[in-house]
Amino acid sequence: MSIEISTSIRSLMMVAAVALSAPFAPNAYAIDVTQQIKEIENSPADGPNGEKAVLASDLKLTPEEIEQIKAKNATAAIVMHYTASDWAKAQMAGQKKALDELGIKIIATTDAGYKAEQQVADIESVMALKPDIIISVPAEQSATAAAYKKAAAAGIKIVFLDQAAAGMKPGTDYVSLVSSDNRGMGKVAALLMAKALNGKGEIALIPHASDLFATKERVVGFKEAIAAFPDIKVVDESGVGGPDFAGESERIASAMLTGHPTLNGLWAVWDVPTEGVLAAARAAGASTDLVITTCDLGVNISLDMAKNGYVKGTGSQRPFGAGYAEGILAGYALLGKEAPPYVVLPALAVTRDNLIDAWPQSNGDQAPDILVKAMN
């Protein structure tokens, strides 16, 4: 099991290095983006409570342990905050692959539509099925906490992704927290923005209006990295709350483009809000010099990138690999094996030059034909 995860991460880092070195020759400013990316990959940020980041490639199950897990005939429930994204689909595909390999049956999958009250109801419904494992990302940390604590008290082992419920402790209340290096992803998106703008311009940001640790880290990382470019000014910032992330982002981006006629760049927190930014840019007839960067690697933003559109790059995570790691940690829980509190996958820099090669490393399957054809 560990060999597959480790190989994937090494390949991913090689792909990122190629992407950054090929299209970006040194220019007027001194910051070496390629070196910056390497440093980000090699030094992922710590967890939400200062937990040391342990790479997913360090997770290991022996053949004997795998057989022990299979003999338990265990069950799992996947309790998602929402599933309407390429990221969520890749996460769940990775979870399923690992759980299948360990003989753990998925007995329920829920979608809360990014509403905490719905997720609480989903947890209660799932508990009635008495799964051994819950793999979940809270739609909201505090409002869902009591439900998760109730599940843990009932003996259900919980593996969290992206953030844990409020007041819960790893090793006691839950098994582990798995996340991409979201701060690193934000930094990568900022570096790609700066490179595309040649270190100068006015930009606007559309973060996530939420307490979600993962998305908060992205905007922190973006601002940390963009601060190294004094000639790039952040002139506007407005968060998107959802659940209609694309529609809301389109309205926000439209107002930004109208209010700042000299705007050179826009960053949105993940690919679905970025779809709204793209719609706004197209509707406004924005100059093709407008630079958009984001985080995550969905089909629609990738198509724009492939067609040499507004999207110049993304600081992507690897949802398939993260989902796979979550499944492996479910195995840890069933064995009573000590798990690291915080498991992370490094950021991935994606530009048009490495888009097709990076797709399977991020999403777990080959790039769709529509994307391959768009590159030609």
Side-chain angles (χ1 to χ4, degrees):
M1 299 291 178
S2 60
I3 293 175
E4 293 182 26
I5 298 176
S6 180
T7 300
S8 174
I9 288 176
R10 285 198 299 270
S11 299
L12 200 61
M13 294 170 75
M14 290 174 65
V15 166
V18 170
L20 270 294
S21 61
F24 294 133
N27 57 26
Y29 56 91
I31 292 178
D32 184 340
V33 168
T34 303
Q35 183 58 37
Q36 289 276 324
I37 295 294
K38 289 179 180 178
E39 291 175 3
I40 291 167
E41 291 171 342
N42 292 328
S43 304
D46 291 337
N49 299 304
E51 303 95 333
K52 176 179 172 54
V54 174
L55 291 175
S57 55
D58 291 337
L59 298 178
K60 294 176 173 63
L61 289 172
T62 67
E64 294 77 17
E65 287 174 328
I66 293 171
E67 291 307 313
Q68 290 175 38
I69 295 167
K70 288 181 177 179
K72 294 180 181 293
N73 296 313
T75 60
I78 312 300
V79 180
M80 297 294 287
H81 55 344
Y82 86 135
T83 61
S85 70
D86 294 324
W87 170 88
K89 294 178 178 66
Q91 274 272 355
M92 292 187 291
Q95 294 162 359
K96 185 177 187 304
K97 178 176 172 59
L99 294 173
D100 284 351
E101 290 176 356
L102 298 178
I104 302 171
K105 182 180 179 181
I106 299 174
I107 58 173
T109 301
T110 65
D111 179 344
Y114 233 120
K115 296 179 180 178
E117 61 273 20
Q118 179 59 54
Q119 192 166 49
V120 169
D122 290 344
I123 294 168
E124 292 173 350
S125 296
V126 160
M127 284 181 63
L129 301 176
K130 299 183 178 179
D132 298 289
I133 303 290
I134 285 178
I135 299 176
S136 183
V137 52
E140 199 279 326
Q141 283 183 294
S142 298
T144 59
Y148 283 113
K149 290 175 182 177
K150 185 177 179 180
I156 300 172
K157 306 297 184 184
I158 301 173
V159 177
F160 282 120
L161 54 141
D162 277 354
Q163 71 176 1
M168 298 183 74
K169 296 182 179 180
T172 303
D173 302 313
Y174 65 91
V175 179
S176 183
L177 169 64
V178 179
S179 184
S180 293
D181 178 16
N182 286 281
R183 184 173 297 200
M185 290 161 54
K187 289 180 178 180
V188 167
L191 291 170
L192 294 176
M193 172 77 76
K195 203 69 170 176
L197 291 175
N198 199 31
K200 185 176 182 179
E202 295 181 352
I203 66 173
L205 313 182
I206 303 180
H208 186 198
S210 168
D211 68 353
L212 182 65
F213 170 72
T215 51
K216 285 167 61 179
E217 282 286 278
R218 294 179 191 183
V219 71
V220 168
F222 188 97
K223 289 180 177 180
E224 285 181 354
I226 211 70
F229 301 88
D231 291 329
I232 295 179
K233 308 296 183 184
V234 178
V235 297
D236 204 347
E237 178 178 339
S238 183
V240 57
D244 179 13
F245 292 102
E248 188 176 342
S249 289
E250 181 176 358
R251 293 189 290 274
I252 292 170
S254 179
M256 289 174 166
L257 289 166
T258 300
H260 305 279
T262 58
L263 198 66
N264 307 111
L266 275 159
W267 172 81
V269 65
W270 75 85
D271 62 315
V272 177
T274 305
E275 292 173 11
V277 176
L278 280 171
R282 292 164 183 161
S287 167
T288 54
D289 291 334
L290 179 70
V291 173
I292 296 174
T293 67
T294 185
C295 298
D296 293 348
L297 192 63
V299 172
N300 290 331
I301 65 115
S302 296
L303 279 171
D304 185 81
M305 200 188 311
K307 295 175 181 178
N308 286 306
Y310 295 110
V311 179
K312 304 305 181 186
T314 179
S316 180
Q317 56 183 314
R318 283 154 305 178
F320 183 87
Y324 190 86
E326 291 146 20
I328 296 301
L329 286 163
Y332 272 54
L334 292 170
L335 293 172
K337 183 174 181 176
E338 184 177 0
Y342 183 62
V343 174
V344 71
L345 294 92
L348 168 64
V350 183
T351 66
R352 187 178 188 277
D353 290 300
N354 72 325
L355 176 58
I356 301 303
D357 289 335
W359 183 274
Q361 302 293 340
S362 175
N363 294 313
D365 55 5
Q366 295 303 308
D369 289 342
I370 190 174
L371 190 56
V372 175
K373 290 177 182 177
M375 293 289 293
N376 299 322

